Amino acid sequence: MNDLPNSLDVHQTSKDQPLRDDIRLLGKLLGDTLRDQEGDETFALIETIRQTAVRYRKHADVEERRQMESVLNQLSNSNTISVVRAFAYFSHLANIAEDLHHNRRRRAHLVAGSEAQVGSMARALTQIKAAGVETSAVQKFFNSALVSPTLTAHPTEVQRKSILDCQLEIARLMNARDRMTLTPDENKETEDDLKREILTLWQTSELRTFKLRVHDEIENGLSYYRYTFLKELPKLYGEIETALHAAFGEAIELPPFFRLGSWIGGDRDGNPFVTHDVTLRAMQRHSSVALHYYLQTINELGSELSLSEKLVGISPALKALAETSPDHSTSRAEEPYRRALTGIYTRLAATMRHLLREEANPPAVGDAPAYASPQGLLADLDVIIDSLNQHKSTWLAQGKLRPLRRAVEVFGFHLAPLDMRQVSDTLDRTVAELLARAGVVKNYAELDEKMRVQTLLKEIQSPRPLISPHIIYTEETAEECRIYRAAADIHQRFGRAAMPNHIISKTASVSDLLEVALQLKEVGLLEPGDTPTLHMNIIPLFETIGDLRDGANIMDELFSLPYYMQLLVSRGNTQEVMLGYSDSNKDGGFLTANWELHKAEVELVKVFAKHKVELRLFHGRGGSVGRGGGPSYFGILAQPPGSVNGQIRLTEQGEVIASKYSNPEIGRRNLETLAAATLEATLLKRDESVEHSEEFFKVMESLSASAFKAYRSLVYETEGFTQFFREATPISEIAELNIGSRPASRKKSDRIEDLRAIPWVFSWGQNRSMIPGWYGFGSAILQYKQQVTNGDLKLLKDMFARWPFFQTMLSNMDMVLAKSDLGIAARYAELVSDKKLSQEIFTRIEKEWRATRDALLEITGQKELLETNPSLLRGIRNRTPYIDPLNHLQVELIRRYRSGDADEAVKRAIHLTINGVAAGLRNSG
């Protein structure tokens, strides 16, 4: 494992030589580890497989593939595990090298003074200024802006934190090696450190021996705050302030518009393990991470700010702050900044004790009152900053103090807003029982929608409690009540910003939203009266194709209720709506889901404008294209006009979280991209003739109808398709893998309708057919060709050239097709016990894939997939020879396992292949 596939040479230029060198080094170190740990014979075996896989990919030589398969099929169970681990780890190491190269190329551009790159804030501001946007408009944007990526716990993150920590250390060492000129001894020392980390990787189990618990998911999510967010987000604010000043030459105030969110520990949709205790613990752990970070930074500042008042002046406010400090040491008598910081540390320690019953480390030197809110801490930090600025110490004020102040402003004492989510069916049952037990209405479930709304509105406006402590409720209802009480407790202890949202999955009616409002009233989070106040956003989630089509009508009906509009006033007249990319895709296929999402946004913009309500969209995107994934920058720019308006939320899910945010520098760049895209989408004018083209709309309607028919025909109308899916993918084995606390299905059934979209997409990614990311497009284009003169695609080419929505959709599909491999998928199809069924269905999939690829190339004018994205193509080709053997082994191991081979090594090897393939494909979940 000490060289790159030669097939890449023609695709790489001299600028990629450092990447080749890095991969070669990491491959060599991995190879040395293999030889040392597994012996020369096993190393030689792995090298033979690797070289054969590389030759097969280079020459598309069927004989080379057969030779590779022959070797793999004869492996013993123990050898299989060694081979799988070797190829999986090479994929991980190649990812590290690629990430380092992305940072390297960006730094090279900056050093060379090149034009600002696409997706950077500098480029966005340059475009905005060139477009003649006034400074006041930019300030107005930031005053009301909200950009909020939200971490969710979904079962596609297959890496253990122990493995991720090793990878982060390897990335750190490689980064240091790249940025410094090392002496021979230093270079050897760094390589020795790399060897130690790779050896640790090899000797650490990649798999969890227990089912992942919600508590573990919470801790995994919090690790990204330690790795990246707490330090990098304040740094990004500083960069944006600098870019604003450079672009406009005057001060533009930058409020805390960029905030991270989380679902982990608050999302109980389909997850019985998210209880009220878990939700409370999640918020406590959030707060603990934030407060520990502040305490650590304050302690460091106390060591650094040794300024003597005999040498530098201080403000009266700073003098007063220092005098309140419990630090009366004579050695710090003339060091007011140190004494002030000791006082702040003591108050923070008291805050931690009050909120969490935790003690600071190191302990505070005395007693002081806890901060009532983060604003008190900000005020004390401002005293120090102002005093430094007033007395020729601005450089010190802009050191650790500036990012610390921004961190407190952004993260508060709660770290991240924790969303609540529940499915509408559960809400229906809970409210029906509450109303029946209170004697309000005995048959709520049988009421029509009009009567439900009337009943709910009456109860929401009534000050009378609905829930009684003297009534025994079913366990489901009792736990729902406890959850809402936990939310009220979180508001009281950690502030309103700690839990601002409640999302309703599968929203299908106005009553779904009012049911949440009723339960919020019961715990004081909705205060009725002449001027009612709502303390949480109630957010509908429209997921299926039908729900997306009904969404605008539901919101129109909701806004027609005067009382609800009064509640919205207390929420700043802003209503958030969440759109589900995953379930809409599973329901209607790739093309139809994308189009229905786009149409839903257009209609929502109209309804919100009609009622003069501000729209904030929350995009429930996954990592894979089949779940709404793809480059976030272009995804945001492709949104319909009026749908962004300075505010956007989107989910970050699965292994994509690690890919985007485990590396601090890449994490900061990904965050910057979200901010830049939101700014551009809001302030730059779009081509209205494109966005409102009736011709484009009609074509998309026609294409969507054809694609929908093709997709539904295969997935839901083909007899035996469920059997094909369950046998031709590792869905059963994925369900057994300890990669998430949530069950794979919403209900105990084998129906595709009940399967969660996440394992659905993940399974198709594993077998490399990836049908959620493209199926139906080829049929739609073939149908379109029959309807136009001579099958001319001129109009579709024009749509691709001018329409961001169509461009983004085809670009994402281009990536999926490039990562798919129907030759490998055919091997999985051989696992299906009904050979006739397998042949019939796979033939349809193969035919559709070819039609889709041909249509894509014809519309885009490319000669091959990803022709216009050489860096992504390079990355895929780097990793493909190392994914191929994993896929082949996965098929063979599944065959053994399903045939009754109960050897634990077989099951472990299957799960290792799942890990390795996911790592190689990167955004597969």
Side-chain angles (χ1 to χ4, degrees), residues 159-169 219-233 235 289 293 657-658 660-668:
Q159 288 193 68
R160 292 180 62 208
K161 185 176 180 298
S162 300
I163 298 296
L164 184 58
D165 286 340
C166 281
Q167 293 173 6
L168 289 173
E169 181 59 16
E219 294 304 317
N220 287 348
L222 289 174
S223 64
Y224 295 99
Y225 289 86
R226 299 186 185 96
Y227 296 149
T228 297
F229 299 138
L230 280 164
K231 292 181 180 179
E232 299 302 322
L233 191 52
K235 190 180 295 185
V289 168
Y293 177 72
I657 296 175
K660 283 186 175 183
Y661 299 120
S662 59
N663 180 292
E665 188 170 349
I666 286 179
R668 190 169 78 254

Side-chain angles (χ1 to χ4, degrees), residues 545 581-593 626 703-718 721 725 752-753 755-757 760-761 764 770-780 841 844-845 848 852:
I545 299 300
Y581 286 66
S582 305
D583 283 285
S584 57
N585 182 293
K586 184 164 73 74
D587 188 26
F590 173 72
L591 191 152
T592 298
L703 292 176
S704 176
S706 299
F708 182 77
K709 182 179 179 181
Y711 175 82
R712 295 287 301 189
S713 173
L714 175 73
V715 175
Y716 294 103
E717 298 166 12
T718 298
F721 183 81
F725 164 65
I752 291 173
E753 290 90 338
L755 181 70
R756 288 192 167 276
W760 163 259
V761 174
W764 291 114
M770 300 183 173
I771 67 170
W774 57 267
Y775 196 93
F777 185 81
S779 290
I841 291 179
R844 288 174 64 181
I845 293 173
E848 183 69 23
T852 298

Side-chain angles (χ1 to χ4, degrees), residues 421-460:
R421 184 170 77 132
Q422 183 57 284
V423 66
S424 59
D425 294 348
T426 302
L427 298 171
D428 284 347
R429 291 192 298 272
T430 300
V431 168
E433 182 175 350
L434 293 177
L435 292 172
R437 301 303 297 275
V440 176
V441 58
K442 302 240 180 241
N443 59 342
Y444 175 79
E446 299 172 12
L447 298 180
D448 62 23
E449 177 65 8
K450 182 178 179 181
M451 286 301 299
R452 283 191 177 200
V453 169
Q454 289 180 5
T455 302
L456 292 167
L457 282 174
K458 181 179 178 181
E459 287 301 315
I460 291 168

Side-chain angles (χ1 to χ4, degrees), residues 81-383:
I81 288 177
S82 296
V83 171
V84 168
R85 296 186 75 220
F87 282 91
Y89 275 134
F90 187 87
S91 292
H92 286 297
L93 295 175
N95 291 345
I96 292 171
E98 283 190 19
D99 290 344
L100 173 63
H101 193 59
H102 286 312
N103 286 337
R104 179 189 291 124
R105 293 306 309 156
R106 182 181 176 280
R107 292 180 70 249
H109 283 291
L110 293 173
V111 170
S114 304
E115 182 180 349
Q117 292 183 298
V118 171
S120 68
M121 184 58 72
R123 180 184 173 91
L125 292 172
T126 299
Q127 290 182 289
I128 285 166
K129 189 173 182 182
V133 178
E134 298 290 336
T135 305
S136 59
V138 178
Q139 182 66 73
K140 184 179 178 182
F141 166 86
F142 283 113
N143 287 345
S144 60
L146 175 67
V147 180
S148 180
T150 301
L151 306 189
T152 74
H154 280 301
T156 58
E157 172 53 78
V158 294
Q159 288 193 68
R160 292 180 62 208
K161 185 176 180 298
S162 300
I163 298 296
L164 184 58
D165 286 340
C166 281
Q167 293 173 6
L168 289 173
E169 181 59 16
I170 292 170
R172 188 193 68 78
L173 291 166
M174 291 294 290
N175 185 57
R177 180 177 177 273
D178 181 61
R179 295 194 182 188
M180 294 188 292
T181 301
L182 302 178
T183 66
D185 286 345
E186 291 170 336
N187 191 60
K188 181 181 184 304
E189 182 181 352
T190 300
E191 289 196 12
D192 288 346
D193 288 340
L194 285 167
K195 286 179 183 178
R196 277 186 281 273
E197 290 300 324
I198 291 174
L199 176 59
T200 302
L201 267 182
W202 189 256
Q203 294 183 342
T204 301
S205 175
E206 305 93 323
L207 302 176
R208 301 178 184 91
T209 57
F210 57 90
K211 184 72 174 176
L212 200 65
R213 302 163 297 175
V214 182
H215 168 71
D216 302 306
E217 292 173 332
I218 292 168
E219 294 304 317
N220 287 348
L222 289 174
S223 64
Y224 295 99
Y225 289 86
R226 299 186 185 96
Y227 296 149
T228 297
F229 299 138
L230 280 164
K231 292 181 180 179
E232 299 302 322
L233 191 52
K235 190 180 295 185
L236 175 60
Y237 273 101
E239 290 179 353
I240 294 174
E241 287 173 332
T242 300
L244 283 167
H245 189 270
F248 293 94
E250 55 185 291
I252 292 179
E253 185 181 350
L254 199 62
F257 74 99
F258 205 121
R259 295 179 182 270
L260 278 301
S262 177
W263 278 13
I264 310 173
D267 178 13
R268 60 197 193 280
D269 173 12
N271 193 340
F273 305 109
V274 176
T275 63
H276 70 288
D277 288 332
V278 166
T279 299
L280 280 171
R281 178 175 175 78
M283 183 49 63
Q284 289 166 349
R285 291 296 302 130
H286 279 201
S287 179
S288 179
V289 168
L291 291 173
H292 274 293
Y293 177 72
Y294 302 155
L295 286 164
Q296 176 188 339
T297 309
I298 292 292
N299 191 46
E300 292 170 359
L301 280 164
S303 299
E304 295 170 8
L305 289 182
S306 55
L307 287 65
S308 170
E309 60 183 314
K310 292 182 178 180
L311 300 174
V312 63
I314 61 172
S315 69
L318 190 280
K319 181 177 178 64
L321 184 61
E323 288 176 352
T324 65
S325 172
D327 184 359
H328 303 298
S329 171
T330 55
S331 64
R332 278 178 284 282
E334 64 179 60
E335 297 173 344
Y337 287 101
R338 275 184 166 170
R339 285 189 287 124
L341 287 163
T342 300
I344 292 173
Y345 186 96
T346 305
R347 292 196 68 185
L348 264 178
T351 304
M352 175 179 280
R353 192 180 307 116
H354 171 70
L355 289 177
L356 308 172
R357 297 184 180 86
E358 289 185 31
E359 295 296 328
N361 185 23
V365 298
D367 294 321
Y371 286 110
S373 71
Q375 282 63 43
L377 174 57
L378 286 172
D380 283 353
L381 292 175
D382 282 339
V383 167

Side-chain angles (χ1 to χ4, degrees), residues 149-152 154 156 263 541 578-584 594 597 601 617-639 648-654 656-657 660 674 758 808 812 815 923 925:
T150 301
L151 306 189
T152 74
H154 280 301
T156 58
W263 278 13
L541 168 52
M578 185 171 184
L579 302 177
Y581 286 66
S582 305
D583 283 285
S584 57
N594 274 272
L597 284 159
E601 293 184 46
L617 285 173
F618 187 3
H619 299 269
R621 296 156 54 101
S624 65
V625 168
R627 297 186 50 239
S632 298
Y633 174 79
F634 295 107
I636 293 173
L637 293 184
Q639 301 304 308
I648 193 167
R649 295 180 70 210
L650 67 162
T651 53
E652 299 282 25
Q653 304 181 9
V656 170
I657 296 175
K660 283 186 175 183
L674 295 177
I758 302 134
T808 301
N812 288 337
M815 177 181 68
N923 59 342

